[in-house]
Amino acid sequence: MFFISAIAPLFPPLLATAEAENAPIVSSGVLLSLVAIYFASKLGAEVSKRLDFPPVLGELVAGVVIGVSALHLVIFPEGGLQATDSAVMSVLQWINGLTPEALNSVFQSQSEVISVLAELGAIVLLFEIGLESDLRQLQAVGTQATIVAFVGVAVPFAVGTVGLMMLFNVAAIPAIFAGAALTATSIGITSKVLSELGRLKSKEGQIIVGAAVIDDVLGIIVLAVVASLAKTGEVDVMNVIYLIVSATAFLLGSILLGSIFNKTFVALVNKLETRGNIIIPAFIFAFFMAFLGNAIHLEAILGAFAAGLVLDETDARNELDELVKPIADLLVPIFFVTVGARADLSVLNPLIPENRAGLAIAVFLIVVAIVGKVATGWAVFGQPGINRLAIGVGMIPRGEVGLVFAGIGSASGVLDKPLEAAIIIMVILTTFLAPPFLRVAFGQSEEPPTGGEPSMEATAVSKT
Amino acid sequence: MFFISAIAPLFPPLLATAEAENAPIVSSGVLLSLVAIYFASKLGAEVSKRLDFPPVLGELVAGVVIGVSALHLVIFPEGGLQATDSAVMSVLQWINGLTPEALNSVFQSQSEVISVLAELGAIVLLFEIGLESDLRQLQAVGTQATIVAFVGVAVPFAVGTVGLMMLFNVAAIPAIFAGAALTATSIGITSKVLSELGRLKSKEGQIIVGAAVIDDVLGIIVLAVVASLAKTGEVDVMNVIYLIVSATAFLLGSILLGSIFNKTFVALVNKLETRGNIIIPAFIFAFFMAFLGNAIHLEAILGAFAAGLVLDETDARNELDELVKPIADLLVPIFFVTVGARADLSVLNPLIPENRAGLAIAVFLIVVAIVGKVATGWAVFGQPGINRLAIGVGMIPRGEVGLVFAGIGSASGVLDKPLEAAIIIMVILTTFLAPPFLRVAFGQSEEPPTGGEPSMEATAVSKT
């Protein structure tokens, strides 16, 4: 492993020294960025909650406000942005009096750290969603939910992709990526709105939640396939088949292996006597699965999700849920806020003529996102008198997984700015529109008084 | 803030694209490194615990094993090490088939991310120690503990620094740094051993623990001063006075402000309705104080420690303690393991003649570390019949804070490799020797059976 060390001294000692000297400044930049991110996320979440919208929406909007579209507090070195554009870097520059070269190097380093922290946030988010998705509950809602889920993935994906290619001349890979971003319903937002309406236990509610869970799984598989296509840059049918098979095999294989690993994990955890006896083995597993997801050219989050599904089957589940919560609380907002911060919504400013193509794409995506999911209600059969419209409308809100698509697309450079901004706008609007639409679909003008649920980002299906 | 964006396009688009393409590989590297770090830390902690040593010692030794001294699983681009020296990078290279340039760039990026994660680990560690240090308890043990603490800081610092300069011709700054690394007693290790011996509530035990807490505070102030000296590279008496005054003022000021902020914090937390209502405001405060510590040219950990002391005075304390634990469990091991991993113990191999100077320094540091603390027992007055030897021996184990010294010294390039290795060896040996020494000093050959405490890294003084 260590045998080629003689060649390629690409990093002269001078650079290494400069980096060592700048190390505390990089940490300062990371700390200040995190303070800005946390402050924005909490403010956004609380305002959103007060206005009766899901907190995640507020975090996303807060990200847009502190990001490249407005305050420039948290920006990334992409699209020609420099250290001097960043408010955090200006503070560091004012405190430390750095040279432009040193400042740009600090900017580069701290942006990389924040990006990886955001990705760890996405990994922990999907790990938590996996931990809270109950496979047995899915079997109970059965066939109807599965049909709704498949239709709700297939229709928006197909219409979105083909529409973008035919109507807007978008290239195949970004069109497929954007189409894929239309697929996954937000479990968290959907189940929260249903519970607020007092309809979570209705037949419609059960089908919606069940379909949303299956949807999430399908969405993650679609993302893994699409992101992998984006890496190779080609649409090769054999490759698509390979990816779908490997993603499905990876997920099913982990679940099957999980039923064996299950007991080993609990036995191991019970034998450990030092601090972190549950959380460290759980994260070794989650991070290793995430690494494996990356290594077989799928996605890290698919691995984290599979790890969550597996550990959900263990007896350490409830304790683990409690321990993962504060970690998710700390890491997940970094992900949501940076997705918003990276999105340059100025490319959709309707006052500038050349933006109108991007705006038209955004409008198209929103229409497909709504119509494609509303159509799913009519896929339900053998259920006379069921509220088909309510089921379809219940599937509208995109959220966490849609944002993961936008985040990965943006980080990998597949999506151009207008398309990325259009996806973000689509996620924001479907999330805004779902609660009032759902009230109308259920024929309620006033909400019945309910307790509501304290958490939403990954509340999902409650445990049995 | 954004007005100089026209100048200095230092990062051509090509580089930005290459970095975007490498982003998933950087994450893969971080994930794999974290898996290695967590696995090593848990294995080390558990073996250490079984052998009746403190778990932190095992994490440190495990770090040495997976680091530059042995397995090369987790290494950093310093001292001429290349990506090809890293086992994690070899795996990534094997999976992704990168060019040497891309591989080195990934190595550089993932090392920076791991370094910042380790520093966040140190920040969370000191935040937790701050949360668990009870100021009122210190007032109770009073004068004796204060005298023991001051003598225990002054003697090893003075003897260590002067000895290194006179006997070994070490330059002033590294000598002061190494002297400072001799000062801080480990609260965690000391209180754990005392509790195992059933002597925590004895007069000696109370003085030791009280002194260890004061010691930690003094140690952090000394570190802030020394690290700042290291940055400027000069020993200027006025600057030293400024730093001591500013560090003390920062710490006392935060505690005083804390008594006001206290109620605001609880009122704020009670008003928040979304997830992370306690943890996010607490970490905004901790990270902001850490940033402030850096910004006024002290240390981030001093700010985090002050934030912990302040929040310990709030009513949200107990809940916060619980929430910080899993976060510390996840971040702190990264710090301990990377300190071990960075330490190149091969520079102390006695078979190589040129290493003998370094070895002699290590022996000298260990002797000063032990003698300097044992001497403190004789500083106690007005306590006839007290076990002076036990008090002195109880102050021997260095630990967390000593490692923070080594970590910062190594990252900032102040300490050369032999001196850094000597400090690590000193921390390891004092921690190894303290438990048997303390048993002898208390005249016990067998331990009385006690329950022991589940956690050690920051157990410290239990809350009233």
Side-chain angles (χ1 to χ4, degrees):
Chain A
M1 284 175 189
F2 324 127
F3 39 83
I4 334 182
S5 55
I7 65 160
L10 285 166
F11 293 93
L14 190 69
L15 182 61
T17 313
E19 300 224 331
E21 273 171 21
N22 288 339
I25 303 175
V26 172
S27 314
S28 283
V30 170
L31 289 170
L32 200 54
S33 302
L34 288 179
V35 168
I37 288 170
Y38 288 147
F39 188 80
S41 82
K42 214 80 221 88
L43 193 67
E46 290 291 325
V47 169
S48 189
K49 168 97 185 166
R50 298 293 191 288
L51 298 176
D52 211 15
F53 288 116
V56 61
L57 189 67
E59 296 187 11
L60 186 61
V61 172
V64 172
V65 172
I66 66 168
V68 61
S69 302
L71 298 180
H72 279 226
L73 267 164
V74 174
I75 60 167
F76 294 85
E78 50 196 20
L81 288 171
Q82 302 289 326
T84 43
D85 297 317
S86 154
V88 165
M89 285 300 125
S90 302
V91 173
L92 293 186
Q93 165 70 11
W94 177 71
I95 293 173
N96 299 290
L98 298 166
T99 63
E101 291 82 8
L103 191 70
N104 262 320
S105 151
V106 168
F107 180 47
Q108 202 80 12
S109 299
Q110 77 113 15
S111 299
E112 266 172 11
V113 173
I114 296 288
S115 299
V116 172
L117 285 176
E119 197 175 331
L120 291 180
I123 286 170
V124 172
L125 173 69
L126 270 285
F127 181 52
E128 199 182 21
I129 292 178
L131 274 178
E132 308 210 354
S133 302
D134 193 327
L135 291 171
R136 272 158 295 186
Q137 190 143 359
L138 290 189
Q139 290 166 358
V141 259
T143 342
Q144 296 295 346
T146 313
I147 293 168
V148 169
F150 271 91
V151 173
V153 166
V155 174
F157 180 60
V159 177
T161 305
V162 174
L164 285 173
M165 291 174 71
M166 308 284 278
L167 302 177
F168 300 95
N169 293 316
V170 174
I173 294 285
I176 291 174
F177 214 103
L182 292 168
T183 57
T185 300
S186 161
I187 307 177
I189 293 168
T190 291
S191 59
K192 163 114 187 320
V193 173
L194 284 171
S195 116
E196 282 177 357
L197 293 176
R199 298 284 184 158
L200 197 56
K201 300 286 166 201
S202 68
K203 193 179 277 178
E204 289 87 357
Q206 287 292 295
I207 292 179
I208 292 172
V209 172
V213 174
I214 300 172
D215 217 341
D216 245 21
V217 179
L218 292 177
I220 293 167
I221 293 178
V222 170
L223 174 62
V225 173
V226 168
S228 177
L229 286 181
K231 274 173 216 159
T232 60
E234 281 169 30
V235 185
D236 169 355
V237 176
M238 283 313 292
N239 193 28
V240 172
I241 293 170
Y242 158 76
L243 286 168
I244 291 173
V245 170
S246 66
T248 314
F250 181 67
L251 215 50
L252 289 181
S254 333
I255 294 166
L256 286 178
L257 268 178
S259 57
I260 303 160
F261 180 67
N262 185 343
K263 290 197 178 62
T264 326
F265 181 79
V266 175
L268 178 74
V269 161
N270 288 337
K271 277 212 186 92
L272 298 181
E273 296 172 8
T274 54
R275 267 187 69 164
N277 63 323
I278 299 180
I279 202 77
I280 292 285
F283 271 87
I284 290 178
F285 183 57
F287 284 168
F288 183 72
M289 291 291 281
F291 165 75
L292 216 60
N294 256 350
I296 60 175
H297 300 284
L298 295 168
E299 274 300 314
I301 53 164
L302 183 69
F305 182 72
L309 284 179
V310 166
L311 292 186
D312 180 52
E313 302 295 306
T314 67
D315 298 335
R317 182 179 63 213
N318 293 333
E319 214 171 336
L320 189 56
D321 281 356
E322 282 307 302
L323 293 171
V324 170
K325 248 179 210 148
I327 295 167
D329 288 346
L330 211 61
L331 287 174
V332 176
I334 306 176
F335 170 68
F336 286 132
V337 170
T338 55
V339 167
R342 277 181 196 269
D344 187 358
L345 296 195
S346 71
V347 298
L348 295 184
N349 180 353
L351 298 178
I352 301 167
E354 54 264 37
N355 286 350
R356 292 190 186 143
L359 257 181
I361 289 179
V363 172
F364 171 75
L365 285 184
I366 291 163
V367 171
V368 174
I370 294 175
V371 174
K373 287 291 182 183
V374 170
T376 60
W378 279 266
V380 178
F381 64 93
Q383 301 281 343
I386 202 157
N387 190 336
R388 292 173 189 276
L389 181 65
I391 292 178
V393 169
M395 301 295 289
I396 288 178
R398 311 306 197 274
E400 304 86 352
V401 180
L403 293 178
V404 172
F405 274 73
I408 291 173
S410 154
S412 69
V414 177
L415 298 170
D416 60 10
K417 289 204 159 288
L419 203 48
E420 184 203 343
I423 292 174
I424 302 270
I425 291 283
M426 179 276 290
V427 171
I428 291 178
L429 274 184
T430 55
T431 311
F432 264 117
L433 294 175
F437 276 25
L438 205 51
R439 271 172 215 138
V440 173
F442 273 119
Q444 285 170 285
S445 55
E446 291 294 311
E447 318 163 41
T450 49
E453 287 165 49
S455 84
M456 68 76 24
E457 267 148 25
T459 299
V461 188
S462 61
K463 289 287 148 49
T464 44
Chain B
M1 283 173 189
F2 324 128
F3 41 82
I4 334 182
S5 55
I7 65 158
L10 285 166
F11 293 93
L14 191 69
L15 182 60
T17 315
E19 301 225 330
E21 272 172 20
N22 287 339
I25 303 176
V26 172
S27 314
S28 284
V30 170
L31 289 170
L32 200 54
S33 301
L34 288 179
V35 168
I37 287 170
Y38 287 148
F39 189 80
S41 83
K42 213 80 222 89
L43 193 67
E46 291 291 325
V47 169
S48 190
K49 169 97 184 167
R50 298 293 191 286
L51 298 175
D52 211 15
F53 288 117
V56 61
L57 189 66
E59 296 186 11
L60 187 60
V61 173
V64 171
V65 171
I66 65 168
V68 60
S69 302
L71 298 181
H72 278 225
L73 266 165
V74 174
I75 60 167
F76 294 85
E78 52 198 17
L81 288 171
Q82 302 288 327
T84 43
D85 297 316
S86 154
V88 165
M89 286 300 126
S90 302
V91 173
L92 294 187
Q93 165 69 12
W94 177 71
I95 293 173
N96 298 290
L98 298 167
T99 62
E101 290 82 6
L103 192 67
N104 262 320
S105 151
V106 168
F107 180 48
Q108 201 80 12
S109 298
Q110 76 113 14
S111 299
E112 267 173 11
V113 173
I114 296 289
S115 297
V116 173
L117 285 176
E119 198 177 330
L120 291 180
I123 287 170
V124 172
L125 173 68
L126 270 285
F127 181 54
E128 200 182 22
I129 292 180
L131 274 177
E132 308 211 353
S133 302
D134 194 327
L135 291 171
R136 272 157 297 188
Q137 191 144 359
L138 289 188
Q139 290 167 358
V141 261
T143 343
Q144 297 295 346
T146 314
I147 293 169
V148 169
F150 272 90
V151 172
V153 166
V155 174
F157 180 59
V159 177
T161 305
V162 173
L164 284 174
M165 291 173 70
M166 307 285 276
L167 302 177
F168 299 96
N169 293 318
V170 175
I173 295 285
I176 291 174
F177 214 103
L182 292 167
T183 58
T185 300
S186 161
I187 307 179
I189 293 168
T190 291
S191 60
K192 163 118 185 317
V193 174
L194 284 171
S195 115
E196 282 179 357
L197 292 175
R199 297 283 185 158
L200 197 56
K201 299 287 166 200
S202 69
K203 194 178 277 177
E204 289 86 357
Q206 285 293 295
I207 293 178
I208 292 172
V209 172
V213 174
I214 301 174
D215 218 342
D216 244 20
V217 179
L218 292 176
I220 293 166
I221 292 179
V222 170
L223 173 63
V225 172
V226 168
S228 175
L229 286 181
K231 273 173 217 158
T232 61
E234 281 170 30
V235 184
D236 170 355
V237 176
M238 284 312 293
N239 192 28
V240 171
I241 293 171
Y242 158 76
L243 285 168
I244 292 175
V245 170
S246 67
T248 314
F250 181 68
L251 214 51
L252 290 181
S254 341
I255 293 166
L256 286 177
L257 267 179
S259 56
I260 304 161
F261 180 68
N262 184 343
K263 290 198 176 66
T264 326
F265 180 80
V266 175
L268 178 75
V269 160
N270 288 337
K271 277 211 188 91
L272 298 181
E273 296 172 7
T274 53
R275 266 186 72 162
N277 65 322
I278 299 180
I279 202 77
I280 291 286
F283 271 87
I284 289 177
F285 183 57
F287 284 168
F288 183 72
M289 292 290 281
F291 164 74
L292 217 60
N294 255 352
I296 61 173
H297 300 284
L298 295 168
E299 273 300 315
I301 54 162
L302 183 69
F305 182 71
L309 284 179
V310 166
L311 293 185
D312 179 52
E313 302 294 306
T314 67
D315 298 336
R317 182 179 63 214
N318 293 332
E319 213 171 334
L320 189 56
D321 281 356
E322 281 308 302
L323 294 171
V324 170
K325 247 179 212 148
I327 295 167
D329 288 346
L330 210 63
L331 287 173
V332 176
I334 306 176
F335 171 67
F336 286 132
V337 170
T338 54
V339 167
R342 277 179 196 271
D344 187 358
L345 296 195
S346 70
V347 299
L348 295 184
N349 181 351
L351 299 178
I352 301 168
E354 54 263 40
N355 286 350
R356 293 192 187 144
L359 256 182
I361 289 178
V363 172
F364 171 74
L365 286 184
I366 291 162
V367 171
V368 174
I370 294 175
V371 174
K373 287 290 184 185
V374 170
T376 61
W378 278 266
V380 177
F381 64 93
Q383 301 280 346
I386 202 157
N387 190 336
R388 291 173 189 278
L389 182 65
I391 292 178
V393 168
M395 302 294 290
I396 288 178
R398 310 306 196 276
E400 304 86 351
V401 179
L403 293 178
V404 173
F405 275 73
I408 290 175
S410 153
S412 69
V414 176
L415 298 171
D416 60 10
K417 288 204 160 289
L419 203 50
E420 184 202 344
I423 292 175
I424 302 270
I425 290 283
M426 180 276 291
V427 171
I428 291 178
L429 273 184
T430 54
T431 311
F432 264 119
L433 294 175
F437 276 25
L438 205 51
R439 269 169 216 141
V440 172
F442 273 118
Q444 284 170 285
S445 54
E446 291 294 311
E447 316 162 44
T450 49
E453 289 164 50
S455 83
M456 68 72 30
E457 268 150 25
T459 299
V461 187
S462 60
K463 288 289 146 52
T464 45

